[in-house]
Amino acid sequence: MRVDVNGEPRELPDGSTITDLLQELKLDRRYLAVERNREVVPRERHNETRLVGGDQLEVVTLVGGG
Amino acid sequence: MRVDVNGEPRELPDGSTITDLLQELKLDRRYLAVERNREVVPRERHNETRLVGGDQLEVVTLVGGG
Amino acid sequence: MRVDVNGEPRELPDGSTITDLLQELKLDRRYLAVERNREVVPRERHNETRLVGGDQLEVVTLVGGG
Amino acid sequence: MRVDVNGEPRELPDGSTITDLLQELKLDRRYLAVERNREVVPRERHNETRLVGGDQLEVVTLVGGG
Amino acid sequence: MSTDVSADTLRVGTHTLSSRLIVGTGKYATHAEMQKSLELSGTDCITVAVRRERLIDADGNNLLDFIDTERYTLLPNTAGCFNADDAVRVARLGREILLGLENPGADWVKLEVLSDTRTLLPDPVATIEATEMLVADGFQVLCYSTDDPVVARRLKEAGAASVMPAGSPIGSGQGILNPNNIRICMEYLKENDPDYPVIVDAGVGTASDVAEAMELGVDGVLLNTAVAHAADPYGMARAMRLATEAGRLAYLSGRIPKKLYATASSPEEGVISLKPR
Amino acid sequence: MSTDVSADTLRVGTHTLSSRLIVGTGKYATHAEMQKSLELSGTDCITVAVRRERLIDADGNNLLDFIDTERYTLLPNTAGCFNADDAVRVARLGREILLGLENPGADWVKLEVLSDTRTLLPDPVATIEATEMLVADGFQVLCYSTDDPVVARRLKEAGAASVMPAGSPIGSGQGILNPNNIRICMEYLKENDPDYPVIVDAGVGTASDVAEAMELGVDGVLLNTAVAHAADPYGMARAMRLATEAGRLAYLSGRIPKKLYATASSPEEGVISLKPR
Amino acid sequence: MSTDVSADTLRVGTHTLSSRLIVGTGKYATHAEMQKSLELSGTDCITVAVRRERLIDADGNNLLDFIDTERYTLLPNTAGCFNADDAVRVARLGREILLGLENPGADWVKLEVLSDTRTLLPDPVATIEATEMLVADGFQVLCYSTDDPVVARRLKEAGAASVMPAGSPIGSGQGILNPNNIRICMEYLKENDPDYPVIVDAGVGTASDVAEAMELGVDGVLLNTAVAHAADPYGMARAMRLATEAGRLAYLSGRIPKKLYATASSPEEGVISLKPR
Amino acid sequence: MSTDVSADTLRVGTHTLSSRLIVGTGKYATHAEMQKSLELSGTDCITVAVRRERLIDADGNNLLDFIDTERYTLLPNTAGCFNADDAVRVARLGREILLGLENPGADWVKLEVLSDTRTLLPDPVATIEATEMLVADGFQVLCYSTDDPVVARRLKEAGAASVMPAGSPIGSGQGILNPNNIRICMEYLKENDPDYPVIVDAGVGTASDVAEAMELGVDGVLLNTAVAHAADPYGMARAMRLATEAGRLAYLSGRIPKKLYATASSPEEGVISLKPR
């Protein structure tokens, strides 16, 4: 299936979860937050949350700011 | 009937018009404007506009301001 | 003899020295300086310095200042 | 004889007056003042004032200033 | 180049004013003092307020008896309003009076929506809201505002015919407290629209404040207390007239840059004296 | 009370000037530009400098061909002098020229004794010394000075007809950098002598600087670069004229006091709207 | 009386900070430079921004590797948002990250809703709207705002835990351009609520700006560029720490009043010299 | 680069001071209050005045009983002198006392020659004269002066070990009224002699004034009234200590430039929200 991650299209196996996605992206999970279709998905629900074709995902972290 | 003029209660004969009111108040009509129940009544309609008991009237003029 | 000390006239026995004067004034010698006729008299010469009638003396100390 | 005019050496016939000098310089006399050896020479004495070798002369006028 | 201000009029919406100074009619000792002060100020546009007729003890002595409505364009304000609805009501009543006077000012209004009675500072949110309502009702709206550039831009977007940032609080006499903000307001409001009128309203205390405001490039100044409460309102009215023209001319004439120090006004060559070092 | 400035002349020693603005003749692009700028400034007193005649290539085009000596009182300066002796020499040469022109300015001088060529700041010690020498020689001396109140008082004690503190360095265009010092100068110089003339000389950059100076209560302003080097000298000359009058009038008219905020310009009674809280 | 600042903490909502200086983490040359600058500033609260993970070329070098989350309370901002909805989304994402970090900052946010990308000035209307939404969602909201006192009061009424007026535009380094407005903000926000925290956010350029802000009586200062872009960020970080304490102490200690001039620091009696006059 | 101030001492002539703050001993409520204020200020150099001993009712309670002459270098002043001769007499008497105390301050003096008792402004002419006399007598002379750059240079030429321009009149609390003049003083005094000490003496009212002075690049600040007459002298003494260090560090650390507006502190890439326009 095709989802959008940080504005870029991406192919994922059907039934993938957010955890699957983050593993594939090799991101340090401690430092990030995930938004699915403009709603935050708390990290404790990353395992159970299955993605659907067309999902809009934002994976964000902290950077320097004032 | 009883109407409110500039926040003060006032007794008027039934069927009085705005023109009747202004005459009774002896006000210089050139310099003023009348609002009835929060709507301006243009001067050309003062003759035909009959007041009704409970009407809220504001009779205003210009004063010095910045 | 008569001398002037800090603007006030004062009677002293003839032959008095600056040391004699300071003793009579009961002043703490560590903290002061003496000027005789607009010239400073160093403390090591207080003993030998004999005053003369009409001498103008200033006895000064330190006070708070900015 | 040799005199100094505005810092420049200049040859003049012996016995020349300030008037002679100004004529030779073709300067508009209305607008200027002459100093000889650091003393102003009033214009009414320009005719009678004979220059001497070594005289230091300044011939000045007005210019724009603040 | 030469600066011609003979035709240097102030345009606000469909109105053209010959003077860049707008003067208020409040707070004078007497109507007569006001009348003469306005005359001496050289203005052709004056602000007025709308108030209830006094029904008893009306001394029959009305402000308008002292104003030549042929000479002045009246600019009715909404002073005393603390929400958008009241401001719209007052604006409409003012329009109705000016229509009766056949004064050209009937189609515009100085919008004031205040936030509290102590400081009389404008409420930006309610002012934006009232601007939209009044524009929809056909008014040309001149908005009294703070010097916040973002609010200024919002007001223009809402259809304001002019934005009028305060130099400092009404009647405070502190002049232009934050020229930086006025500069950014100008940048926002005049971007691709250089003729959009920006008027400094409120806060000026004396002539140099007015000149300084005009030198920032604003199109006009609106004031009242500085003249009405001066020890001599007539003298101050004349001062303000001159200061408005002086500041405008200085702006148009391109001032010299500022330097740490010094360049000679007199030539350095041809001096008879000795230079040091 | 009413302010009458029709007879509000500037008196310096035996001289009476109708304008409180004194303008320099230096640094203009052309003599013609200078001529018109002076005219537009409304001044009746102009400063000039004394320099060596160019002996060769004298273009025969003299400053004085562009100055109506019937109209203007000339004020010769001692610009370019760095010690008292040279200043006295230059003053005497200026006097000699003005006597020839039969101009009333022959009996006065603007004393400038500078300290270095970079900043052109005045040397207070040499200025005091030169003032005494020139007064002894019969001059009415107008002293260009810093804003140091003690130096100002020393100059008056030395016989100066006027003390002229700089608002900021010559040609810097920074305006009045230290109004506090100007105020103390006034307190010193006008104590029991309110008519003693104090003139701000140098540093003003634009109209509001001039108005601000006059509002401090000084008697006049002397400027040159601000007009001569403006993008449009004619416009700026007019601006300076207006600003001088505006500032003077504002000073005489008694400005309103400054407050943290706000007093209403429109009456608070009779409003139809609801007050908050 | 004696001033004890040992217990002089900054309280914002449920948070208590030992330092009154809040420092941003942006714009440093390197993460290491940031780390040491924060340490030298003495702060215990730092702001951070929320941004998309770089999916490719993630250098695996994350800001958080350089921040001791035991030591600092993080204050996530909503920088880069231009409307209320986006600000709420970003605030929630920041909270989610901080919950993962178990940092106490998870329950608050520095709200920034900007109006345009050029000036980065805050949009007062959208900021008020976002404040209400975030408060409803359980956030303690610190609002970056202009110095408009009316907007400041509206933000407090909307539930803001702190209002943070800008001294001047972000990164402009102009310091406190309008102390008068900050004073009125304080009057509004602390009326019958003296402990309500007011923090100057943005605009300070150097140590004296920070001291001046604190002397106005504000509760704290938030800065970033002034340290990060100083020639020596470490030295400036220390300067800012000292200036914050200096300004706070000076405010608490009651400064002397200003006078036109002069009272002697040394006693006038007992002098041996002659007084003049 | 990194700023090390551990060895950042203030050198004046042969003296080296660890603190850049010099504090006066006058005007405190009690000697004990003075003693503690000096301690909290962190200074190691204090000014004192010379006065006639009280011959009767000498309470036997002397200033020196409250000063640790091992800890502090005393700097005797010539306060109360209005001419050069008296200043020299007082300087010599001060030296005689300090020799008796074996204090290192015996070889220097803070020269004050005042012009009148009302404003306590320094007399530049008499100060220059007295400087020459004292230098000839072997003193290291620190000259209290106005901010006139020319006078400052004259004093250095006369042999002054340090020139100490006033920020504003003694005790006025107005801070640095004319930073432009202080900058030119620095340019004159430090030209080809960068280590020549310039100290701002008099006028500072609060911590930010001290920081601002130090940020101009002066070498130190001398104050008295601002601490002695603060509501809480102890708190203000600490504030002044911190402000001196803050201002010095900020100067050495290279502040950011000032701009009209705005550069983002948070990165602009990677935002999840939509940019306007």
Side-chain angles (χ1 to χ4, degrees):
Chain A
M1 64 183 171
R2 188 192 198 77
V3 297
D4 235 67
V5 182
N6 290 2
E8 306 293 329
R10 189 167 204 94
E11 275 302 325
L12 292 179
D14 287 3
S16 303
T17 64
I18 288 176
T19 304
D20 301 331
L21 171 66
L22 296 180
Q23 266 157 2
E24 186 192 319
L25 293 173
K26 301 187 191 49
L27 293 173
D28 182 335
R29 300 186 52 175
R30 294 169 305 152
Y31 293 166
L32 52 76
V34 179
E35 187 191 60
R36 179 195 192 188
N37 302 328
R38 306 175 65 88
E39 292 297 332
V40 173
V41 182
R43 64 192 60 233
E44 55 274 20
R45 298 224 308 274
H46 287 185
N47 290 336
E48 73 211 35
T49 305
R50 297 201 179 288
L51 301 177
V52 180
D55 275 348
Q56 302 285 331
L57 297 158
E58 292 286 350
V59 182
V60 302
T61 185
L62 296 182
V63 300
Chain B
M1 64 181 168
R2 188 193 199 77
V3 299
D4 234 65
V5 183
N6 291 1
E8 305 294 327
R10 187 166 207 97
E11 275 304 325
L12 291 179
D14 287 4
S16 304
T17 63
I18 288 175
T19 303
D20 301 333
L21 171 66
L22 296 180
Q23 267 158 2
E24 186 192 321
L25 293 173
K26 300 188 190 50
L27 292 173
D28 182 336
R29 300 184 52 173
R30 293 169 306 153
Y31 293 166
L32 51 75
V34 180
E35 188 191 60
R36 179 194 192 190
N37 303 327
R38 305 175 66 87
E39 293 296 333
V40 173
V41 182
R43 63 192 61 231
E44 54 274 18
R45 298 224 310 275
H46 287 184
N47 289 335
E48 73 211 35
T49 305
R50 298 201 178 285
L51 301 177
V52 179
D55 275 347
Q56 302 284 329
L57 298 156
E58 292 287 350
V59 183
V60 302
T61 186
L62 296 182
V63 300
Chain C
M1 63 182 170
R2 190 194 198 76
V3 298
D4 235 67
V5 182
N6 291 1
E8 306 293 328
R10 187 167 208 97
E11 276 301 328
L12 291 180
D14 288 3
S16 302
T17 64
I18 288 176
T19 304
D20 300 333
L21 171 65
L22 297 180
Q23 268 159 359
E24 186 191 321
L25 293 173
K26 300 186 192 51
L27 293 173
D28 182 336
R29 300 186 52 175
R30 293 169 305 152
Y31 292 167
L32 53 74
V34 179
E35 187 193 60
R36 179 195 191 188
N37 303 328
R38 305 175 66 88
E39 292 297 333
V40 173
V41 182
R43 64 192 60 232
E44 55 274 21
R45 298 225 308 276
H46 287 186
N47 289 336
E48 72 210 34
T49 305
R50 297 203 179 284
L51 300 177
V52 180
D55 275 347
Q56 303 284 330
L57 297 159
E58 293 286 348
V59 183
V60 302
T61 186
L62 296 182
V63 300
Chain D
M1 65 183 170
R2 188 193 200 75
V3 299
D4 235 67
V5 183
N6 290 0
E8 306 293 328
R10 188 169 207 95
E11 274 304 327
L12 291 179
D14 286 5
S16 302
T17 64
I18 287 175
T19 304
D20 301 332
L21 171 66
L22 297 179
Q23 267 157 0
E24 185 192 321
L25 293 173
K26 301 189 189 49
L27 292 172
D28 182 336
R29 300 185 53 174
R30 294 170 305 153
Y31 293 168
L32 52 75
V34 179
E35 187 192 60
R36 179 194 192 189
N37 303 329
R38 306 174 65 88
E39 292 296 333
V40 172
V41 181
R43 64 192 60 231
E44 54 275 19
R45 297 224 309 276
H46 287 184
N47 289 336
E48 73 210 33
T49 306
R50 298 201 179 286
L51 302 177
V52 179
D55 275 348
Q56 303 285 329
L57 298 157
E58 292 287 348
V59 182
V60 302
T61 187
L62 296 183
V63 299
Chain E
M1 132 205 200
S2 178
T3 307
D4 177 14
V5 289
S6 61
D8 182 48
T9 57
L10 169 57
R11 290 199 183 70
V12 180
T14 58
H15 293 270
T16 300
L17 304 172
S18 59
S19 168
R20 292 182 174 277
L21 183 64
I22 301 175
V23 182
T25 56
K27 306 174 87 174
Y28 295 86
T30 65
H31 281 334
E33 186 179 87
M34 170 203 77
Q35 188 172 39
K36 183 159 180 206
S37 298
L38 295 176
E39 189 183 315
L40 292 168
S41 76
T43 188
D44 53 349
C45 177
I46 62 181
T47 56
V48 291
V50 174
R51 290 291 181 271
R52 281 172 166 169
E53 264 292 5
R54 285 224 239 49
L55 301 186
I56 42 295
D57 75 59
D59 55 9
N61 178 336
N62 187 295
L63 175 79
L64 289 164
D65 297 326
F66 295 82
I67 291 176
D68 176 352
T69 56
E70 301 295 311
R71 170 178 186 166
Y72 298 109
T73 299
L74 303 192
L75 174 57
N77 69 29
T78 62
C81 293
F82 294 84
N83 61 68
D85 289 340
D86 285 338
V88 171
R89 285 175 63 200
V90 169
R92 288 172 173 162
L93 286 164
R95 174 168 59 185
E96 166 67 7
I97 297 173
L98 266 64
L99 285 170
L101 299 170
E102 293 172 343
N103 186 276
D107 66 353
W108 69 359
V109 63
K110 173 187 167 182
L111 176 63
E112 275 183 52
V113 190
L114 305 180
S115 64
D116 82 320
T117 55
R118 190 190 346 158
T119 64
L120 301 174
L121 292 172
D123 181 324
V125 182
T127 303
I128 294 167
E129 181 189 357
T131 301
E132 288 163 347
M133 293 162 68
L134 288 166
V135 167
D137 195 21
F139 281 93
Q140 303 191 69
V141 186
L142 290 71
C143 301
Y144 167 61
S145 175
T146 67
D147 62 7
D148 181 337
V150 174
V151 172
R153 189 167 58 182
R154 286 283 197 111
L155 290 168
K156 184 182 178 186
E157 288 164 356
S162 175
V163 177
M164 308 198 294
S168 50
I170 298 178
S172 70
Q174 297 197 93
I176 311 296
L177 286 176
N178 192 346
N180 190 64
N181 266 7
I182 301 290
R183 283 196 193 89
I184 302 177
C185 284
M186 307 271 290
E187 201 174 298
Y188 274 173
L189 297 172
K190 288 177 177 287
E191 193 164 30
N192 309 319
D193 187 7
D195 297 335
Y196 186 81
V198 179
I199 297 169
V200 164
D201 178 359
V204 303
T206 184
S208 56
D209 295 339
V210 171
E212 186 193 342
M214 294 304 296
E215 287 165 356
L216 289 171
V218 299
D219 299 274
V221 171
L222 192 162
L223 56 80
N224 186 336
T225 308
V227 166
H229 279 190
D232 171 15
Y234 303 153
M236 193 58 83
R238 291 162 57 207
M240 293 310 195
R241 172 187 196 151
L242 296 165
T244 305
E245 296 171 18
R248 178 65 179 174
L249 272 166
Y251 169 69
L252 295 173
S253 302
R255 62 156 293 156
I256 57 173
K258 294 185 180 189
K259 304 174 193 167
L260 178 59
Y261 51 73
T263 56
S265 297
S266 306
E268 301 200 24
E269 59 284 356
V271 295
I272 68 170
S273 56
L274 296 174
K275 285 266 168 49
R277 344 232 123 78
Chain F
M1 145 209 187
S2 178
T3 306
D4 177 15
V5 289
S6 62
D8 182 49
T9 57
L10 169 58
R11 289 200 183 70
V12 179
T14 59
H15 293 270
T16 299
L17 304 172
S18 60
S19 167
R20 291 182 175 276
L21 183 64
I22 300 175
V23 182
T25 56
K27 305 175 86 175
Y28 294 86
T30 65
H31 280 335
E33 186 178 87
M34 171 202 77
Q35 188 173 39
K36 182 159 180 204
S37 298
L38 295 176
E39 188 183 318
L40 292 168
S41 75
T43 189
D44 53 351
C45 177
I46 62 181
T47 55
V48 291
V50 174
R51 290 290 181 273
R52 281 172 166 169
E53 263 292 5
R54 283 223 239 50
L55 301 186
I56 44 293
D57 75 59
D59 54 9
N61 178 336
N62 187 296
L63 175 80
L64 290 164
D65 297 326
F66 295 83
I67 290 176
D68 176 352
T69 56
E70 300 295 311
R71 170 177 186 165
Y72 298 109
T73 299
L74 303 192
L75 175 57
N77 69 29
T78 62
C81 293
F82 293 84
N83 61 68
D85 289 340
D86 285 338
V88 171
R89 284 175 64 199
V90 170
R92 287 172 173 162
L93 285 164
R95 175 167 59 184
E96 167 67 7
I97 297 173
L98 266 64
L99 285 169
L101 299 170
E102 293 175 342
N103 186 276
D107 66 353
W108 69 359
V109 63
K110 173 187 165 181
L111 176 63
E112 276 183 51
V113 190
L114 305 180
S115 63
D116 82 320
T117 54
R118 191 190 345 159
T119 64
L120 300 174
L121 292 172
D123 180 326
V125 181
T127 303
I128 294 167
E129 182 189 355
T131 302
E132 289 163 347
M133 293 162 69
L134 288 166
V135 167
D137 195 23
F139 281 94
Q140 303 192 69
V141 185
L142 290 72
C143 300
Y144 167 61
S145 174
T146 67
D147 63 6
D148 180 337
V150 174
V151 171
R153 189 167 59 183
R154 286 284 198 110
L155 290 168
K156 185 183 178 185
E157 288 165 356
S162 174
V163 176
M164 308 199 293
S168 50
I170 298 179
S172 71
Q174 297 197 97
I176 311 297
L177 285 176
N178 192 346
N180 190 65
N181 266 7
I182 301 290
R183 286 196 191 88
I184 301 178
C185 284
M186 307 272 289
E187 201 174 298
Y188 274 173
L189 297 172
K190 288 176 176 288
E191 193 164 29
N192 308 319
D193 187 8
D195 297 335
Y196 186 82
V198 179
I199 296 170
V200 165
D201 178 358
V204 301
T206 184
S208 55
D209 295 339
V210 171
E212 187 193 342
M214 295 303 296
E215 286 165 358
L216 289 171
V218 301
D219 299 274
V221 171
L222 191 162
L223 56 81
N224 186 339
T225 309
V227 167
H229 279 190
D232 172 15
Y234 304 153
M236 193 59 83
R238 292 162 57 207
M240 294 310 196
R241 172 187 197 153
L242 295 165
T244 305
E245 296 171 18
R248 177 66 177 174
L249 272 166
Y251 169 68
L252 295 173
S253 301
R255 61 157 292 155
I256 56 173
K258 295 184 180 189
K259 304 174 193 167
L260 179 59
Y261 51 74
T263 57
S265 297
S266 305
E268 301 199 26
E269 59 284 355
V271 295
I272 69 171
S273 57
L274 297 174
K275 284 265 170 49
R277 343 235 122 83
Chain G
M1 141 205 193
S2 177
T3 307
D4 177 13
V5 289
S6 61
D8 182 48
T9 57
L10 169 58
R11 289 198 184 71
V12 180
T14 59
H15 293 269
T16 300
L17 304 172
S18 60
S19 167
R20 293 183 173 276
L21 183 63
I22 300 175
V23 182
T25 56
K27 305 175 86 174
Y28 295 86
T30 65
H31 282 335
E33 186 179 87
M34 171 202 77
Q35 187 173 40
K36 182 158 181 205
S37 298
L38 295 176
E39 188 183 317
L40 292 168
S41 75
T43 188
D44 53 351
C45 176
I46 62 181
T47 56
V48 291
V50 174
R51 288 292 181 271
R52 282 172 167 168
E53 264 291 6
R54 285 225 237 49
L55 301 187
I56 41 300
D57 75 60
D59 56 7
N61 178 336
N62 186 295
L63 175 81
L64 289 164
D65 297 325
F66 296 82
I67 291 176
D68 176 352
T69 56
E70 301 295 311
R71 171 177 186 167
Y72 298 109
T73 299
L74 303 192
L75 175 58
N77 69 29
T78 62
C81 293
F82 294 84
N83 61 69
D85 288 340
D86 285 338
V88 171
R89 283 174 65 200
V90 170
R92 287 172 174 162
L93 285 164
R95 174 167 60 184
E96 167 67 6
I97 297 173
L98 265 66
L99 285 170
L101 298 172
E102 293 174 342
N103 186 277
D107 66 354
W108 69 359
V109 62
K110 172 186 167 182
L111 176 63
E112 276 183 51
V113 191
L114 305 180
S115 63
D116 81 320
T117 54
R118 190 189 345 158
T119 64
L120 300 175
L121 291 171
D123 180 325
V125 181
T127 303
I128 293 167
E129 181 189 356
T131 301
E132 289 163 348
M133 293 162 70
L134 288 166
V135 168
D137 195 22
F139 281 94
Q140 303 191 70
V141 186
L142 290 71
C143 300
Y144 166 62
S145 174
T146 67
D147 62 6
D148 180 337
V150 174
V151 171
R153 189 168 58 183
R154 286 282 197 111
L155 289 169
K156 185 182 178 186
E157 288 164 357
S162 174
V163 177
M164 308 199 293
S168 51
I170 298 179
S172 70
Q174 297 197 95
I176 311 296
L177 286 175
N178 192 346
N180 190 65
N181 266 7
I182 301 290
R183 284 194 192 90
I184 301 177
C185 284
M186 307 271 289
E187 200 173 301
Y188 274 174
L189 298 172
K190 289 176 175 288
E191 193 164 31
N192 307 320
D193 187 7
D195 296 336
Y196 187 81
V198 179
I199 296 169
V200 165
D201 179 358
V204 301
T206 184
S208 56
D209 294 339
V210 171
E212 186 192 342
M214 295 303 296
E215 287 165 356
L216 290 171
V218 301
D219 300 273
V221 172
L222 192 161
L223 57 81
N224 186 338
T225 310
V227 167
H229 279 189
D232 172 13
Y234 303 153
M236 193 58 83
R238 292 162 57 207
M240 293 310 195
R241 172 188 196 150
L242 295 165
T244 306
E245 295 171 18
R248 177 66 178 175
L249 272 166
Y251 168 69
L252 295 174
S253 301
R255 62 157 290 158
I256 57 172
K258 294 185 180 189
K259 304 174 193 168
L260 179 60
Y261 51 74
T263 57
S265 298
S266 305
E268 301 199 25
E269 58 284 356
V271 295
I272 68 170
S273 55
L274 296 174
K275 285 265 169 49
R277 340 233 126 82
Chain H
M1 122 196 212
S2 177
T3 307
D4 177 14
V5 290
S6 62
D8 181 49
T9 58
L10 169 58
R11 291 198 182 69
V12 179
T14 60
H15 293 268
T16 300
L17 304 171
S18 60
S19 167
R20 291 182 175 276
L21 183 63
I22 300 175
V23 182
T25 56
K27 305 175 88 174
Y28 294 86
T30 66
H31 281 334
E33 186 179 88
M34 172 202 75
Q35 187 173 38
K36 183 161 179 202
S37 298
L38 295 176
E39 188 183 316
L40 292 168
S41 76
T43 188
D44 54 351
C45 176
I46 62 181
T47 56
V48 291
V50 174
R51 290 290 181 272
R52 281 173 166 167
E53 263 292 4
R54 286 226 237 48
L55 299 186
I56 43 292
D57 75 59
D59 55 8
N61 177 337
N62 187 296
L63 174 80
L64 289 164
D65 297 325
F66 295 82
I67 290 176
D68 176 351
T69 56
E70 302 294 312
R71 171 177 187 166
Y72 298 109
T73 299
L74 303 192
L75 175 57
N77 68 30
T78 62
C81 293
F82 293 84
N83 61 67
D85 288 340
D86 285 339
V88 171
R89 283 174 65 200
V90 169
R92 288 172 173 162
L93 286 163
R95 175 169 59 186
E96 166 68 6
I97 297 173
L98 265 64
L99 284 169
L101 299 170
E102 293 173 344
N103 186 276
D107 65 354
W108 69 0
V109 63
K110 172 187 167 181
L111 175 63
E112 276 183 50
V113 190
L114 305 180
S115 63
D116 81 320
T117 55
R118 191 191 344 159
T119 64
L120 301 174
L121 292 172
D123 180 324
V125 181
T127 303
I128 294 167
E129 182 189 356
T131 301
E132 289 163 348
M133 294 162 68
L134 288 166
V135 168
D137 195 23
F139 282 94
Q140 303 192 67
V141 186
L142 291 71
C143 299
Y144 166 62
S145 174
T146 67
D147 62 7
D148 181 336
V150 174
V151 172
R153 190 168 57 183
R154 286 283 197 111
L155 290 168
K156 185 182 177 185
E157 287 165 356
S162 174
V163 177
M164 307 198 295
S168 50
I170 299 179
S172 70
Q174 296 197 97
I176 311 297
L177 286 176
N178 192 346
N180 190 66
N181 266 8
I182 301 289
R183 283 194 193 90
I184 302 177
C185 284
M186 307 271 290
E187 202 173 297
Y188 275 173
L189 298 172
K190 289 176 175 288
E191 194 164 29
N192 308 320
D193 187 8
D195 297 336
Y196 186 81
V198 179
I199 297 170
V200 165
D201 178 359
V204 302
T206 185
S208 56
D209 295 339
V210 171
E212 187 193 341
M214 295 304 295
E215 287 165 357
L216 290 171
V218 301
D219 300 274
V221 172
L222 191 161
L223 56 81
N224 186 336
T225 309
V227 166
H229 279 189
D232 171 15
Y234 303 153
M236 192 58 83
R238 291 163 57 207
M240 293 310 195
R241 171 188 197 151
L242 295 164
T244 306
E245 295 171 18
R248 177 66 178 174
L249 272 166
Y251 169 69
L252 295 174
S253 301
R255 62 156 291 157
I256 57 173
K258 295 185 180 189
K259 304 175 193 168
L260 178 60
Y261 50 73
T263 56
S265 298
S266 305
E268 302 200 24
E269 58 285 356
V271 295
I272 68 171
S273 55
L274 296 174
K275 285 265 169 51
R277 275 148 235 137

